[in-house]
Amino acid sequence: MKSTMGIILTGGKNNRLKELSFERSIAAVPVGGKYRVIDFTLSNMVNSGITNIGVITQYNFRSLMDHLGSGKEWDLDRKNEGLFIFPPYLSEYGTGWYKGTADAMYNNITFLQRSDEEFVIIGQGYAIYNMDYEPMLEQHIQTGADITIACRNMSDIPHEELKLLGMIQTDEDGRIIDFMEKPLNPKSILGPMGVYITRRTFLINLLQESAAKGLTEFVHDIIVRQTNNLKIYAYIFNGYWRPLSNIQLYYRANMELLNPKVRQELLMSRRKIYTKVKDEPPAKYNAEAVVRNSIVADGCIIEGTVENSVLFRGVRVMKGAVIKDSLIMQGTVVGQNVNLRYCILDKGVTISDGKTLIGDSEWPLIVGKNVRV
Amino acid sequence: MTRKEIVALLLAGGQGSRLGVLTQNLAKPAVLFGGKYRIIDFTLSNCTNSGIDTVGVLTQYQPLKLNSHIGIGKPWDLDRINGGVTILAPYMKTEKGEWYSGTADAVYQNIHYVDEMAAKYVIILSGDHIYKMDYSKMLDFHKQNKADATISVIDVPLNEASRYGIMNTDEDGRIYEFEEKPENPKSTLASMGIYIFNWDLLKDYLINDHQKSATHHDFGKDIIPAMLADNKKMYAYKFSGYWRDVGTIQAFYESNMNLTELIPDFNLFDPNWKIYSPNPIYPAHYIGDTGHVEKSIIAEGCMIYGTVRRSVIFPGVTINAGTVIEDSIIMSDTLIGTNTEIYCTIIGETSVIGNNVKCGIGEFAENTYNPKVYNSNINVIGSNTVIPNNTVLGKNVVIDNYITPHDFETNFIPSGGYVIKGA
């Protein structure tokens, strides 16, 4: 990809993922059996040929830092460029916490200034999708846009969520003429994916101007206010994309991975999704195992029944246990004759023998990290 | 550079000819094992887990797979500034270039490598075995005894002892005699081919051995007897636990199959002794609506729509609906069609088995291609091979690597039959 650097925003405080994000940012929430949410945007950038990537972190970034390490799983442990992580910092001028997405980037403007790529692509750490950014850059260059925003037909995203995403209206050429942030009744079905391309020098100027005016939010203060002044274009992406910003969306997206088409597009494509490796042995099925329509990661030992579920790494399912429609995260132990339906068990949970936990398909029951039931 | 106390030399040049088509294009240590690993991973992981951070891997036979597998040693944490893993291939010298003519010669030709590490001790390993062993305990034993050499031994049944190199020791474990494959064994302590030597002493013996003409340049046949003859202090270090030479089709098959047992003899799930290997970039595996898996090992990236019983399935394998796999080993990225039946078969990497294939049926018959290698009910299908739809294979059948449907003259290969390129 032509001279492009990447920035990944891992977001502000979000309690809509409940227990799952109490101790970690959304970007670090486990998904799909072995990944963290950020793996998707990060792998997309790497697969598009970007090798200079900054990850801006704010809340609960310890587990994110642990996950990313030196970036070696994404081939980003480089002498020149590579992966940079930017937690908030205190300085003579700053207060420490980033006040918003634009403020976060402005605080790390030296990263932009010291880089020499022509373009910057800004992505988010809250969505799962497999996208080649190259055609988007081509369109950006072709249209001569100031900013290009990746958009898609959001009719497969629940109405409630659309209100939070904001909606976009374009003219015939694809230029954005209206950007409705948090509309009460979304008129259009075109929504932004939180992926932006712009020229690096343009972004630096934009951030400096905004900071001078005390503007801190990239979307709200810059994009929305300047829709008429700037040439902002929509790039239409037709693939699978899911924000995992609340429990329902998170649960549903994991379940959608059981669909072969979705899994093929997202995980089995030529553009691979990279993640931190754990050196677990392959999963072991004992004689009593009954597993149907499920994803099972390495290191699991299964002696019970598992249906329509995702088992992350190193899960133990004891004899007589029945797990249906559930997400079971790394290292969790499901005891004998346990019955689980519509549950999300975080990492390291122990469910003792004979327990029954049943949630609802819209409101799955969540058991927090390292809890013993 | 810091001085290394101990350097490991891992002999990985063996062909492993008794593994037939499985080792035709790669060295035995590179053969896939246990649903994710290659045989050499066990020895390399032992080094890592024992705190040995300097490992020279001596290659010779078909080293390409091995070289790319080991790379710079990242999976084993052997990508080090000081030491780490070094591939030691045969090389040209000023007078002449030569292959390694034996295990001792291989080490002799790499004396400069150990010298450069300034190691006090050297441990000689082979990349052919499946086992977990803490070499640091063996080194402690060696130091305690102020030994010149320590040889790791394992107790074998008396009736099998004549197949091994047997160590006869006194009560303290000091070796007074070594017998290679004795007809009437005096003890049951078999050499595991793992030696610790004081480097300075070994170096002298290697140089001496190199100058002799009547020698096999072999540790077991030449170096050890020569040291014994000189009355060097040599001790037997007793190892107990799982140790297998998976050098025959049958042993390789059984050792893999044992991993599917409720409590296998070899525990891959030991968090204190992890086995490291490069991790393939695959999503977690998927069991489809029509899939059924019991008593099996399934790796990442697999898609299982058929039935799998008592089998070991490597990463990226697809098994389609209506298909039954039993008692088999299916290596990475192989595709199995629909309504196919596969019993008691080893299938190599990236092969394609068609639809309605039956494999491993009927009665045993002696193999007509190479009965020394293929002598059980196990079928062996090589890698990158395509078995056409509706093919029927009996038992004890061997199919070569890189076979295409054109190579099949008939769609029925009876028990003991074969499809081998150019045969």
Short mmCIF file of all heavy atoms in Angstrom, two decimals, chain A residues 34-35 258 263 268 272-273 277-287 289 291-299 301, chain B residues 35-37 259 261-262 268-269 274 276 279 281-289 291 293-298 300 303 305:
data_model
loop_
_atom_site.label_atom_id
_atom_site.label_comp_id
_atom_site.label_asym_id
_atom_site.label_seq_id
_atom_site.Cartn_x
_atom_site.Cartn_y
_atom_site.Cartn_z
N LYS A 34 -10.22 -17.27 19.75
CA LYS A 34 -8.80 -17.05 20.04
C LYS A 34 -8.33 -15.63 19.83
O LYS A 34 -7.17 -15.33 20.04
CB LYS A 34 -7.94 -18.04 19.26
CG LYS A 34 -7.94 -17.82 17.76
CD LYS A 34 -7.07 -18.82 17.03
CE LYS A 34 -5.60 -18.50 17.10
NZ LYS A 34 -4.81 -19.22 16.10
N TYR A 35 -9.23 -14.75 19.39
CA TYR A 35 -8.80 -13.40 19.05
C TYR A 35 -9.17 -12.38 20.13
O TYR A 35 -9.95 -12.68 21.02
CB TYR A 35 -9.43 -12.97 17.72
CG TYR A 35 -9.16 -13.95 16.61
CD1 TYR A 35 -10.09 -14.92 16.26
CD2 TYR A 35 -7.94 -13.93 15.95
CE1 TYR A 35 -9.82 -15.84 15.26
CE2 TYR A 35 -7.66 -14.85 14.96
CZ TYR A 35 -8.61 -15.80 14.62
OH TYR A 35 -8.32 -16.72 13.64
N LEU A 258 -20.36 -18.88 13.75
CA LEU A 258 -20.70 -20.29 13.50
C LEU A 258 -21.22 -20.46 12.07
O LEU A 258 -21.26 -21.57 11.55
CB LEU A 258 -21.76 -20.78 14.50
CG LEU A 258 -21.33 -20.79 15.97
CD1 LEU A 258 -22.50 -21.18 16.85
CD2 LEU A 258 -20.17 -21.75 16.19
N ARG A 263 -17.55 -17.01 8.72
CA ARG A 263 -16.23 -17.45 9.15
C ARG A 263 -15.24 -17.42 7.98
O ARG A 263 -14.10 -17.03 8.12
CB ARG A 263 -16.33 -18.86 9.74
CG ARG A 263 -15.35 -19.07 10.88
CD ARG A 263 -15.52 -20.41 11.56
NE ARG A 263 -15.69 -21.47 10.60
CZ ARG A 263 -16.82 -22.12 10.37
NH1 ARG A 263 -17.88 -21.81 11.09
NH2 ARG A 263 -16.92 -23.06 9.47
N MET A 268 -11.03 -17.08 7.37
CA MET A 268 -10.35 -18.06 6.52
C MET A 268 -9.87 -17.43 5.22
O MET A 268 -9.46 -18.13 4.32
CB MET A 268 -11.28 -19.24 6.20
CG MET A 268 -11.97 -19.88 7.38
SD MET A 268 -10.87 -20.83 8.44
CE MET A 268 -10.74 -22.36 7.52
N LYS A 272 -5.13 -13.04 6.45
CA LYS A 272 -5.27 -13.76 7.72
C LYS A 272 -5.40 -12.80 8.90
O LYS A 272 -4.88 -11.69 8.87
CB LYS A 272 -4.07 -14.66 7.94
CG LYS A 272 -4.05 -15.81 6.97
CD LYS A 272 -2.78 -16.63 7.11
CE LYS A 272 -2.87 -17.85 6.21
NZ LYS A 272 -1.61 -18.57 6.15
N ILE A 273 -6.07 -13.26 9.93
CA ILE A 273 -6.17 -12.48 11.15
C ILE A 273 -5.13 -13.03 12.13
O ILE A 273 -5.14 -14.21 12.47
CB ILE A 273 -7.59 -12.56 11.75
CG1 ILE A 273 -8.64 -12.14 10.73
CG2 ILE A 273 -7.69 -11.70 13.02
CD1 ILE A 273 -8.51 -10.71 10.21
N VAL A 277 -0.02 -15.83 20.19
CA VAL A 277 -0.09 -17.28 20.26
C VAL A 277 0.14 -17.75 21.70
O VAL A 277 0.77 -17.06 22.49
CB VAL A 277 0.91 -17.97 19.33
CG1 VAL A 277 0.62 -17.60 17.88
CG2 VAL A 277 2.34 -17.64 19.69
N LYS A 278 -0.43 -18.91 22.01
CA LYS A 278 -0.37 -19.40 23.39
C LYS A 278 0.29 -20.76 23.54
O LYS A 278 0.37 -21.28 24.62
CB LYS A 278 -1.80 -19.49 23.95
CG LYS A 278 -2.51 -18.17 24.08
CD LYS A 278 -2.13 -17.46 25.38
CE LYS A 278 -3.06 -16.31 25.60
NZ LYS A 278 -2.57 -15.10 26.05
N ASP A 279 0.71 -21.39 22.45
CA ASP A 279 1.36 -22.70 22.53
C ASP A 279 0.53 -23.75 23.25
O ASP A 279 1.06 -24.50 24.08
CB ASP A 279 2.73 -22.57 23.20
CG ASP A 279 3.68 -21.73 22.39
OD1 ASP A 279 3.95 -22.11 21.23
OD2 ASP A 279 4.13 -20.68 22.88
N GLU A 280 -0.77 -23.77 22.98
CA GLU A 280 -1.60 -24.82 23.57
C GLU A 280 -1.56 -26.05 22.64
O GLU A 280 -1.40 -25.91 21.43
CB GLU A 280 -3.06 -24.36 23.66
CG GLU A 280 -3.30 -23.20 24.60
CD GLU A 280 -3.46 -23.66 26.04
OE1 GLU A 280 -3.33 -24.87 26.29
OE2 GLU A 280 -3.70 -22.80 26.89
N PRO A 281 -1.70 -27.25 23.22
CA PRO A 281 -1.80 -28.43 22.35
C PRO A 281 -3.16 -28.42 21.64
O PRO A 281 -4.06 -27.70 22.03
CB PRO A 281 -1.71 -29.60 23.34
CG PRO A 281 -2.14 -29.05 24.64
CD PRO A 281 -1.76 -27.59 24.64
N PRO A 282 -3.31 -29.25 20.58
CA PRO A 282 -4.61 -29.31 19.91
C PRO A 282 -5.70 -29.78 20.88
O PRO A 282 -5.40 -30.42 21.89
CB PRO A 282 -4.40 -30.36 18.80
CG PRO A 282 -2.94 -30.50 18.65
CD PRO A 282 -2.32 -30.14 19.96
N ALA A 283 -6.96 -29.47 20.55
CA ALA A 283 -8.06 -29.84 21.44
C ALA A 283 -8.22 -31.35 21.50
O ALA A 283 -7.99 -32.05 20.52
CB ALA A 283 -9.35 -29.21 20.95
N LYS A 284 -8.65 -31.83 22.68
CA LYS A 284 -8.80 -33.27 22.86
C LYS A 284 -10.27 -33.59 23.14
O LYS A 284 -10.89 -32.98 24.01
CB LYS A 284 -7.94 -33.71 24.04
CG LYS A 284 -7.89 -35.19 24.25
CD LYS A 284 -6.71 -35.55 25.14
CE LYS A 284 -6.57 -37.04 25.30
NZ LYS A 284 -7.60 -37.64 26.14
N TYR A 285 -10.82 -34.52 22.38
CA TYR A 285 -12.20 -34.96 22.57
C TYR A 285 -12.15 -36.35 23.18
O TYR A 285 -11.54 -37.25 22.59
CB TYR A 285 -12.92 -35.04 21.23
CG TYR A 285 -13.17 -33.70 20.57
CD1 TYR A 285 -12.13 -33.00 19.98
CD2 TYR A 285 -14.45 -33.15 20.53
CE1 TYR A 285 -12.35 -31.78 19.38
CE2 TYR A 285 -14.68 -31.93 19.92
CZ TYR A 285 -13.62 -31.24 19.35
OH TYR A 285 -13.85 -30.03 18.75
N ASN A 286 -12.78 -36.53 24.32
CA ASN A 286 -12.81 -37.87 24.88
C ASN A 286 -14.04 -38.62 24.39
O ASN A 286 -14.86 -38.07 23.65
CB ASN A 286 -12.74 -37.80 26.41
CG ASN A 286 -11.31 -37.45 26.86
OD1 ASN A 286 -10.36 -37.60 26.10
ND2 ASN A 286 -11.19 -36.95 28.06
N ALA A 287 -14.14 -39.89 24.82
CA ALA A 287 -15.13 -40.78 24.20
C ALA A 287 -16.56 -40.27 24.33
O ALA A 287 -17.39 -40.50 23.46
CB ALA A 287 -15.01 -42.17 24.82
N ALA A 289 -17.66 -37.18 24.28
CA ALA A 289 -17.89 -35.84 23.73
C ALA A 289 -18.96 -35.84 22.64
O ALA A 289 -19.01 -36.74 21.81
CB ALA A 289 -16.58 -35.29 23.15
N VAL A 291 -20.19 -32.80 20.15
CA VAL A 291 -20.01 -31.39 19.81
C VAL A 291 -20.63 -31.13 18.45
O VAL A 291 -20.36 -31.84 17.49
CB VAL A 291 -18.51 -31.01 19.78
CG1 VAL A 291 -18.33 -29.55 19.40
CG2 VAL A 291 -17.88 -31.28 21.14
N ARG A 292 -21.50 -30.14 18.39
CA ARG A 292 -22.16 -29.81 17.13
C ARG A 292 -22.16 -28.31 16.92
O ARG A 292 -22.35 -27.54 17.87
CB ARG A 292 -23.60 -30.31 17.18
CG ARG A 292 -23.83 -31.42 16.18
CD ARG A 292 -25.24 -31.92 16.24
NE ARG A 292 -25.31 -33.20 16.91
CZ ARG A 292 -26.04 -33.43 17.99
NH1 ARG A 292 -26.76 -32.48 18.54
NH2 ARG A 292 -26.05 -34.64 18.52
N ASN A 293 -21.99 -27.89 15.70
CA ASN A 293 -22.06 -26.48 15.31
C ASN A 293 -21.36 -25.57 16.32
O ASN A 293 -21.96 -24.64 16.86
CB ASN A 293 -23.53 -26.07 15.15
CG ASN A 293 -23.65 -24.71 14.48
OD1 ASN A 293 -22.86 -24.36 13.61
ND2 ASN A 293 -24.61 -23.92 14.91
N SER A 294 -20.11 -25.85 16.55
CA SER A 294 -19.39 -25.07 17.55
C SER A 294 -17.96 -24.80 17.10
O SER A 294 -17.41 -25.53 16.28
CB SER A 294 -19.35 -25.81 18.89
OG SER A 294 -20.65 -25.92 19.41
N ILE A 295 -17.40 -23.73 17.65
CA ILE A 295 -16.01 -23.40 17.42
C ILE A 295 -15.24 -23.82 18.67
O ILE A 295 -15.65 -23.49 19.79
CB ILE A 295 -15.85 -21.89 17.16
CG1 ILE A 295 -16.41 -21.55 15.77
CG2 ILE A 295 -14.39 -21.47 17.28
CD1 ILE A 295 -16.45 -20.08 15.47
N VAL A 296 -14.16 -24.54 18.47
CA VAL A 296 -13.39 -25.03 19.62
C VAL A 296 -11.91 -24.67 19.40
O VAL A 296 -11.35 -24.99 18.36
CB VAL A 296 -13.54 -26.56 19.79
CG1 VAL A 296 -12.72 -27.05 20.97
CG2 VAL A 296 -15.00 -26.94 19.96
N ALA A 297 -11.32 -24.00 20.37
CA ALA A 297 -9.93 -23.58 20.22
C ALA A 297 -8.98 -24.63 20.79
O ALA A 297 -9.40 -25.59 21.44
CB ALA A 297 -9.72 -22.24 20.91
N ASP A 298 -7.69 -24.42 20.56
CA ASP A 298 -6.65 -25.31 21.06
C ASP A 298 -6.69 -25.41 22.58
O ASP A 298 -7.14 -24.49 23.27
CB ASP A 298 -5.28 -24.77 20.66
CG ASP A 298 -4.83 -25.31 19.31
OD1 ASP A 298 -5.62 -26.02 18.67
OD2 ASP A 298 -3.70 -25.00 18.91
N GLY A 299 -6.18 -26.51 23.09
CA GLY A 299 -6.03 -26.64 24.54
C GLY A 299 -7.28 -27.05 25.28
O GLY A 299 -7.26 -27.22 26.49
N ILE A 301 -10.28 -29.59 26.54
CA ILE A 301 -10.51 -31.01 26.74
C ILE A 301 -12.01 -31.18 26.95
O ILE A 301 -12.58 -30.59 27.87
CB ILE A 301 -9.73 -31.57 27.94
CG1 ILE A 301 -8.23 -31.38 27.71
CG2 ILE A 301 -10.05 -33.05 28.15
CD1 ILE A 301 -7.35 -31.90 28.83
N GLY B 35 -0.68 -34.01 16.17
CA GLY B 35 -1.73 -33.05 15.85
C GLY B 35 -1.25 -31.63 15.64
O GLY B 35 -2.04 -30.76 15.30
N LYS B 36 0.03 -31.36 15.83
CA LYS B 36 0.49 -29.98 15.69
C LYS B 36 2.00 -29.89 15.52
O LYS B 36 2.51 -28.94 14.95
CB LYS B 36 0.07 -29.22 16.95
CG LYS B 36 0.69 -27.87 17.11
CD LYS B 36 0.05 -27.07 18.24
CE LYS B 36 0.68 -25.71 18.34
NZ LYS B 36 0.07 -24.89 19.38
N TYR B 37 2.70 -30.88 16.02
CA TYR B 37 4.15 -30.77 16.18
C TYR B 37 4.92 -31.49 15.08
O TYR B 37 4.35 -32.25 14.31
CB TYR B 37 4.54 -31.36 17.55
CG TYR B 37 3.68 -30.83 18.66
CD1 TYR B 37 2.57 -31.52 19.13
CD2 TYR B 37 3.95 -29.58 19.22
CE1 TYR B 37 1.76 -31.00 20.12
CE2 TYR B 37 3.14 -29.06 20.21
CZ TYR B 37 2.05 -29.78 20.66
OH TYR B 37 1.25 -29.25 21.64
N LEU B 259 -2.14 -40.81 22.09
CA LEU B 259 -2.50 -39.46 22.56
C LEU B 259 -4.01 -39.27 22.66
O LEU B 259 -4.48 -38.34 23.30
CB LEU B 259 -1.93 -38.41 21.60
CG LEU B 259 -0.41 -38.31 21.54
CD1 LEU B 259 0.02 -37.41 20.40
CD2 LEU B 259 0.14 -37.79 22.86
N GLU B 261 -6.04 -41.46 23.94
CA GLU B 261 -6.56 -42.18 25.11
C GLU B 261 -7.03 -41.20 26.18
O GLU B 261 -6.59 -40.05 26.22
CB GLU B 261 -5.48 -43.09 25.71
CG GLU B 261 -5.06 -44.24 24.81
CD GLU B 261 -6.19 -45.23 24.56
OE1 GLU B 261 -7.06 -45.39 25.44
OE2 GLU B 261 -6.22 -45.83 23.47
N LEU B 262 -7.89 -41.67 27.06
CA LEU B 262 -8.42 -40.81 28.13
C LEU B 262 -7.27 -40.20 28.92
O LEU B 262 -7.22 -38.99 29.12
CB LEU B 262 -9.33 -41.62 29.06
CG LEU B 262 -9.98 -40.83 30.18
CD1 LEU B 262 -10.87 -39.73 29.63
CD2 LEU B 262 -10.78 -41.74 31.10
N LEU B 268 0.47 -34.02 26.66
CA LEU B 268 0.75 -32.77 25.93
C LEU B 268 0.24 -31.55 26.69
O LEU B 268 0.60 -30.43 26.37
CB LEU B 268 0.05 -32.80 24.56
CG LEU B 268 0.64 -33.70 23.48
CD1 LEU B 268 -0.31 -33.74 22.29
CD2 LEU B 268 1.99 -33.20 23.06
N PHE B 269 -0.62 -31.79 27.68
CA PHE B 269 -1.30 -30.69 28.35
C PHE B 269 -0.57 -30.23 29.62
O PHE B 269 -1.16 -29.58 30.45
CB PHE B 269 -2.73 -31.10 28.70
CG PHE B 269 -3.65 -31.09 27.51
CD1 PHE B 269 -3.64 -32.13 26.60
CD2 PHE B 269 -4.53 -30.04 27.30
CE1 PHE B 269 -4.48 -32.12 25.50
CE2 PHE B 269 -5.38 -30.03 26.21
CZ PHE B 269 -5.36 -31.08 25.31
N LYS B 274 5.67 -27.32 28.51
CA LYS B 274 4.98 -27.12 27.23
C LYS B 274 5.84 -27.58 26.08
O LYS B 274 7.07 -27.47 26.12
CB LYS B 274 4.67 -25.64 27.04
CG LYS B 274 3.43 -25.17 27.76
CD LYS B 274 3.01 -23.81 27.24
CE LYS B 274 1.70 -23.39 27.89
NZ LYS B 274 1.19 -22.14 27.31
N TYR B 276 6.73 -26.68 22.40
CA TYR B 276 6.63 -25.52 21.53
C TYR B 276 6.79 -25.91 20.07
O TYR B 276 7.50 -26.87 19.75
CB TYR B 276 7.70 -24.50 21.91
CG TYR B 276 7.58 -24.03 23.34
CD1 TYR B 276 8.39 -24.56 24.33
CD2 TYR B 276 6.61 -23.10 23.69
CE1 TYR B 276 8.27 -24.15 25.64
CE2 TYR B 276 6.48 -22.68 25.00
CZ TYR B 276 7.31 -23.21 25.98
OH TYR B 276 7.16 -22.80 27.27
N ASN B 279 3.32 -21.74 15.49
CA ASN B 279 1.86 -21.83 15.48
C ASN B 279 1.33 -21.43 14.11
O ASN B 279 1.62 -20.35 13.63
CB ASN B 279 1.27 -20.91 16.54
CG ASN B 279 1.46 -21.47 17.93
OD1 ASN B 279 0.70 -22.31 18.37
ND2 ASN B 279 2.49 -21.02 18.62
N ILE B 281 -1.18 -19.95 11.40
CA ILE B 281 -2.15 -18.86 11.52
C ILE B 281 -3.50 -19.39 11.05
O ILE B 281 -3.82 -19.36 9.85
CB ILE B 281 -1.74 -17.64 10.66
CG1 ILE B 281 -0.28 -17.32 10.85
CG2 ILE B 281 -2.65 -16.45 10.93
CD1 ILE B 281 0.09 -16.67 12.14
N TYR B 282 -4.27 -19.92 11.96
CA TYR B 282 -5.57 -20.47 11.65
C TYR B 282 -6.55 -20.06 12.74
O TYR B 282 -6.15 -19.90 13.89
CB TYR B 282 -5.51 -22.01 11.66
CG TYR B 282 -5.10 -22.64 10.36
CD1 TYR B 282 -4.00 -23.47 10.30
CD2 TYR B 282 -5.85 -22.43 9.22
CE1 TYR B 282 -3.62 -24.08 9.12
CE2 TYR B 282 -5.48 -23.04 8.04
CZ TYR B 282 -4.37 -23.86 7.98
OH TYR B 282 -4.01 -24.46 6.82
N PRO B 283 -7.84 -19.93 12.39
CA PRO B 283 -8.82 -19.73 13.46
C PRO B 283 -9.02 -21.03 14.24
O PRO B 283 -8.54 -22.09 13.83
CB PRO B 283 -10.10 -19.35 12.71
CG PRO B 283 -9.93 -19.89 11.34
CD PRO B 283 -8.45 -19.91 11.06
N ALA B 284 -9.71 -20.94 15.36
CA ALA B 284 -10.07 -22.15 16.11
C ALA B 284 -10.87 -23.07 15.18
O ALA B 284 -11.49 -22.60 14.24
CB ALA B 284 -10.89 -21.76 17.33
N HIS B 285 -10.85 -24.37 15.44
CA HIS B 285 -11.52 -25.27 14.50
C HIS B 285 -13.04 -25.24 14.70
O HIS B 285 -13.54 -24.74 15.69
CB HIS B 285 -10.96 -26.69 14.59
CG HIS B 285 -11.28 -27.42 15.86
ND1 HIS B 285 -10.37 -27.61 16.86
CD2 HIS B 285 -12.41 -28.02 16.28
CE1 HIS B 285 -10.93 -28.29 17.84
NE2 HIS B 285 -12.16 -28.55 17.52
N TYR B 286 -13.74 -25.80 13.72
CA TYR B 286 -15.20 -25.75 13.71
C TYR B 286 -15.76 -27.15 13.52
O TYR B 286 -15.32 -27.89 12.64
CB TYR B 286 -15.67 -24.84 12.58
CG TYR B 286 -17.17 -24.84 12.38
CD1 TYR B 286 -18.01 -24.24 13.31
CD2 TYR B 286 -17.75 -25.45 11.26
CE1 TYR B 286 -19.38 -24.24 13.14
CE2 TYR B 286 -19.12 -25.45 11.08
CZ TYR B 286 -19.94 -24.86 12.03
OH TYR B 286 -21.29 -24.87 11.86
N ILE B 287 -16.68 -27.52 14.37
CA ILE B 287 -17.39 -28.79 14.19
C ILE B 287 -18.78 -28.44 13.67
O ILE B 287 -19.53 -27.72 14.32
CB ILE B 287 -17.53 -29.57 15.52
CG1 ILE B 287 -16.20 -29.63 16.27
CG2 ILE B 287 -18.11 -30.96 15.27
CD1 ILE B 287 -15.15 -30.52 15.69
N GLY B 288 -19.12 -28.93 12.49
CA GLY B 288 -20.39 -28.57 11.85
C GLY B 288 -21.58 -29.27 12.46
O GLY B 288 -21.45 -30.11 13.36
N ASP B 289 -22.75 -28.93 11.95
CA ASP B 289 -24.00 -29.51 12.42
C ASP B 289 -24.03 -31.03 12.26
O ASP B 289 -24.59 -31.73 13.07
CB ASP B 289 -25.16 -28.91 11.61
CG ASP B 289 -25.99 -27.99 12.48
OD1 ASP B 289 -25.93 -28.15 13.71
OD2 ASP B 289 -26.68 -27.12 11.92
N GLY B 291 -21.30 -32.83 12.11
CA GLY B 291 -20.04 -33.35 12.59
C GLY B 291 -20.19 -34.13 13.89
O GLY B 291 -21.08 -33.87 14.69
N VAL B 293 -17.34 -35.93 16.79
CA VAL B 293 -15.95 -36.25 17.10
C VAL B 293 -15.89 -36.96 18.45
O VAL B 293 -16.47 -36.50 19.42
CB VAL B 293 -15.09 -34.97 17.20
CG1 VAL B 293 -13.65 -35.32 17.53
CG2 VAL B 293 -15.15 -34.18 15.90
N GLU B 294 -15.24 -38.09 18.48
CA GLU B 294 -15.01 -38.72 19.78
C GLU B 294 -13.60 -39.29 19.86
O GLU B 294 -13.04 -39.74 18.88
CB GLU B 294 -16.07 -39.79 20.07
CG GLU B 294 -16.14 -40.88 19.03
CD GLU B 294 -17.26 -41.88 19.32
OE1 GLU B 294 -18.42 -41.48 19.26
OE2 GLU B 294 -16.93 -43.04 19.61
N LYS B 295 -13.05 -39.23 21.05
CA LYS B 295 -11.74 -39.81 21.35
C LYS B 295 -10.71 -39.41 20.29
O LYS B 295 -10.06 -40.25 19.69
CB LYS B 295 -11.85 -41.33 21.44
CG LYS B 295 -11.08 -41.87 22.63
CD LYS B 295 -11.13 -43.35 22.71
CE LYS B 295 -9.90 -43.86 23.45
NZ LYS B 295 -9.54 -45.19 23.07
N SER B 296 -10.60 -38.13 20.05
CA SER B 296 -9.71 -37.67 18.99
C SER B 296 -9.03 -36.38 19.39
O SER B 296 -9.41 -35.73 20.36
CB SER B 296 -10.50 -37.43 17.71
OG SER B 296 -11.02 -38.63 17.21
N ILE B 297 -8.04 -36.01 18.59
CA ILE B 297 -7.35 -34.74 18.77
C ILE B 297 -7.58 -33.92 17.50
O ILE B 297 -7.34 -34.40 16.40
CB ILE B 297 -5.86 -34.99 19.00
CG1 ILE B 297 -5.67 -35.48 20.43
CG2 ILE B 297 -5.04 -33.75 18.76
CD1 ILE B 297 -4.26 -35.80 20.75
N ILE B 298 -8.06 -32.71 17.67
CA ILE B 298 -8.36 -31.86 16.51
C ILE B 298 -7.62 -30.55 16.67
O ILE B 298 -7.72 -29.89 17.70
CB ILE B 298 -9.87 -31.57 16.40
CG1 ILE B 298 -10.72 -32.83 16.61
CG2 ILE B 298 -10.18 -30.87 15.07
CD1 ILE B 298 -10.92 -33.68 15.41
N GLU B 300 -6.20 -26.59 15.14
CA GLU B 300 -6.81 -25.35 14.65
C GLU B 300 -7.08 -25.41 13.16
O GLU B 300 -6.41 -26.11 12.42
CB GLU B 300 -5.87 -24.18 14.94
CG GLU B 300 -5.75 -23.86 16.39
CD GLU B 300 -4.86 -22.65 16.65
OE1 GLU B 300 -3.72 -22.62 16.17
OE2 GLU B 300 -5.32 -21.74 17.33
N MET B 303 -12.19 -28.10 9.72
CA MET B 303 -13.64 -28.02 9.60
C MET B 303 -14.15 -29.44 9.49
O MET B 303 -13.83 -30.16 8.55
CB MET B 303 -14.02 -27.19 8.38
CG MET B 303 -13.68 -25.72 8.60
SD MET B 303 -14.38 -24.68 7.36
CE MET B 303 -13.11 -24.81 6.15
N TYR B 305 -17.26 -31.87 9.23
CA TYR B 305 -18.69 -32.08 8.96
C TYR B 305 -19.02 -33.57 9.00
O TYR B 305 -20.18 -33.94 8.90
CB TYR B 305 -19.07 -31.49 7.61
CG TYR B 305 -18.85 -29.99 7.53
CD1 TYR B 305 -17.70 -29.46 6.96
CD2 TYR B 305 -19.78 -29.12 8.07
CE1 TYR B 305 -17.48 -28.09 6.92
CE2 TYR B 305 -19.59 -27.75 8.03
CZ TYR B 305 -18.43 -27.23 7.45
OH TYR B 305 -18.23 -25.88 7.43
#
